[in-house]
Amino acid sequence: MNPRTRLALVVVAGTGLAVLLVAACLRLPRFGGDSHPYGDRAVHTSLARHTANTVASVNFDQRAFDTLGEMTILFAAVVGCVVLLRQTRDEHRARPEPADVTPPVRRYALIVLPIALATGLYVIAHGQLSPGGGFQGGVVAATSLHLLYLGADYRALERVRPVGLYEVGDAVSAAAYVVTGLAGLIGGTAFLANTLLPYGTFNTLSSGGTVPLLNAAIGMEVACAVVVLLARFLDQAVEIVEESGK
Amino acid sequence: MDVLPYLVAVWIFLAGCYGLATSRNLIHAVGCLSVCQSATYVLLLAVGYRDDATAPVFSDIEPGSRPVVDPVVQALALTDVVVGATVTALLLALVIQVGKRHGTVDPDELSELRG
C-alpha cells in the first residue's frame, strides 16, 4: 500500500474512532464526582486490615491473585528477552574497553548511587505504609546499580552484578510469592487470602498481615527482573559483536 | 469542562495511533505504542478522581477526615505501567533482532519473508 492511501485510511478510521470515543466520554460519570463504590469499599477493607497504603492493600491483599498474574507477565517477559537477546552462533563476545569518564559525572554517579539504592530499598520496605511499594522501589534499586556503568565503566558494573545470581533471585522471589499464597491454603483459608498473619498495629512496618511479605517478594522480583533485562540489552550494545563485518 | 480529562486521554490515544500508522522506524513505533498506553493511565486516573480529594494513603492523614481518590484505579494504573514496560522491553528485543537479521528497522522495507 502506498503511503498516501494508507494515510487516507488512517484519517478515515481515526475520525470514526475519535467520534465513538468522544461519544463514550460524554456518557462517562462526571469527572471528580463523589460516587466511587469500589474505591470506598477498598478503603474500608484496607483500614479494617491495618494497611495504611490503600493501593498496596488493593494490590497485595484484595487483588493479590491479580498481582500474581502481573508478576508472571513480568517473569515471562524477562524469559522472552533472555531468549531473544541470546548470543547466536555467528556472534562472539568482545571484552568491553575501559572507558574514560569525566570527573564530575563520575563523582555525581558515585555519590548518588548509595542514596538511590537506599531510596529504592526504603520504598520497598515502606510499601504498605507510604506511596510506593515493591514495583516502584524495585525499579529504583535496580536502576541505581547502573549508575556504576555511567560513573565508571561496564566492567565495574559486571563485577557488582553477576547476572546469574539475579536470574536465580528473580525465580526465587516469584516462587516466594506463590509459597506465601500456598501458606494460606495450609493454614486452612484460601490461596493468597490475607487472614493468616496478625494485622499488627496500624501504620507500623509490620502491619497488614501478608502484605509486607508479598510486597517484599515483588520488590525483589522486580529489581532482579530489571537488572536481568538491562543486562541483556547492555550485552547487545557493549559486548556481543557479529563475526563478519564490524 | 467536566469531560476535558477524558478528552485528553482520547487525544493522546489517537496521537499514538497516528504515530504507529505512519511510523518509518520500528523503535519509533514502539515509542508510539507507549504513547497509546499512556492514554490509559490518564483515563484511569481521571475516572478515579474525586473533587478536593487527596492520595489514598493513611500514614499521615486521619481516616475519614478527608475524601480520598479511588485506590482501585490507581492499582490498575500500576498494573498498566508494569505490563507496558514488559511489552516495551519485549518489542525492543524483537527490534534488535530484526535490525540484525534484515539490516533495517523500517517496517516498509520488511515486506518480504526471509528464511
Side-chain angles (χ1 to χ4, degrees):
Chain A
M1 202 190 302
N2 72 39
R4 284 186 69 104
T5 354
R6 182 159 62 188
L7 194 64
L9 200 65
V10 167
V11 169
V12 171
T15 315
L17 185 63
V19 169
L20 287 176
L21 285 174
V22 169
C25 283
L26 294 175
R27 300 285 299 276
L28 275 173
R30 190 181 70 83
F31 175 71
D34 208 33
S35 168
H36 293 286
Y38 292 109
D40 292 339
R41 283 169 176 78
V43 168
H44 183 262
T45 312
S46 161
L47 291 175
R49 294 189 166 177
H50 299 192
T51 313
N53 180 1
T54 314
V55 181
S57 171
V58 172
N59 269 323
F60 300 115
D61 180 0
Q62 300 165 37
R63 290 173 73 237
F65 193 65
D66 180 82
T67 305
L68 175 66
E70 193 181 339
M71 187 193 71
T72 315
I73 292 175
L74 182 60
F75 190 74
V78 170
V79 174
C81 276
V82 169
V83 172
L84 278 173
L85 296 179
R86 69 193 184 281
Q87 186 182 349
T88 51
R89 246 173 309 183
D90 53 350
E91 292 170 336
H92 69 95
R93 275 177 188 269
R95 286 287 298 153
E97 298 289 316
D100 283 331
V101 184
T102 49
V105 174
R106 177 184 294 260
R107 220 175 303 135
Y108 176 76
L110 295 182
I111 292 171
V112 171
L113 195 156
I115 301 173
L117 189 61
T119 309
L121 297 178
Y122 175 90
V123 170
I124 296 176
H126 290 73
Q128 67 276 22
L129 303 178
S130 53
F135 287 106
Q136 300 89 327
V139 173
V140 174
T143 319
S144 71
L145 288 184
H146 293 84
L147 282 172
L148 209 54
Y149 175 51
L150 297 182
D153 59 11
Y154 196 61
R155 294 195 291 189
L157 176 64
E158 280 188 324
R159 273 202 291 279
V160 298
R161 188 211 59 187
V163 178
L165 218 59
Y166 284 92
E167 284 169 352
V168 173
D170 196 11
V172 165
S173 43
Y177 193 97
V178 179
V179 167
T180 313
L182 288 176
L185 279 183
I186 298 167
T189 56
F191 185 63
L192 284 172
N194 183 12
T195 46
L196 199 62
L197 296 175
Y199 293 139
T201 315
F202 186 74
N203 212 0
T204 56
L205 266 184
S206 59
S207 62
T210 51
V211 171
L213 296 180
L214 296 178
N215 185 41
I218 288 287
M220 188 172 156
E221 210 249 338
V222 171
C224 292
V226 171
V227 166
V228 173
L229 276 181
L230 286 178
R232 295 295 157 174
F233 279 105
L234 284 174
D235 273 355
Q236 290 287 332
V238 180
E239 277 199 75
I240 293 181
V241 288
E242 278 180 63
E243 291 281 347
S244 55
K246 268 216 253 192
Chain B
M1 196 59 203
D2 273 346
V3 290
L4 183 65
Y6 302 135
L7 294 181
V8 168
V10 169
W11 183 75
I12 296 175
F13 181 75
L14 290 173
C17 284
Y18 173 79
L20 265 179
T22 56
S23 173
R24 301 296 306 273
N25 183 315
L26 286 176
I27 296 175
H28 170 261
V30 175
C32 291
L33 192 66
S34 303
V35 172
C36 280
Q37 193 142 30
S38 52
T40 60
Y41 312 153
V42 176
L43 180 66
L44 279 171
L45 296 179
V47 165
Y49 185 70
R50 179 180 283 191
D51 287 331
D52 302 322
T54 183
V57 175
F58 295 97
S59 50
D60 54 356
I61 58 167
E62 194 61 32
S65 62
R66 286 189 65 182
V68 293
V69 298
D70 194 331
V72 178
V73 290
Q74 298 212 343
L76 286 176
L78 177 61
T79 309
D80 206 351
V81 171
V82 174
V83 173
T86 58
V87 167
T88 305
L90 264 181
L91 287 177
L92 286 177
L94 280 169
V95 172
I96 286 181
Q97 292 299 0
V98 166
K100 271 194 202 167
R101 297 286 162 261
H102 297 263
T104 172
V105 288
D106 183 345
D108 287 341
E109 291 175 18
L110 291 170
S111 47
E112 83 271 31
L113 286 172
R114 224 188 292 173

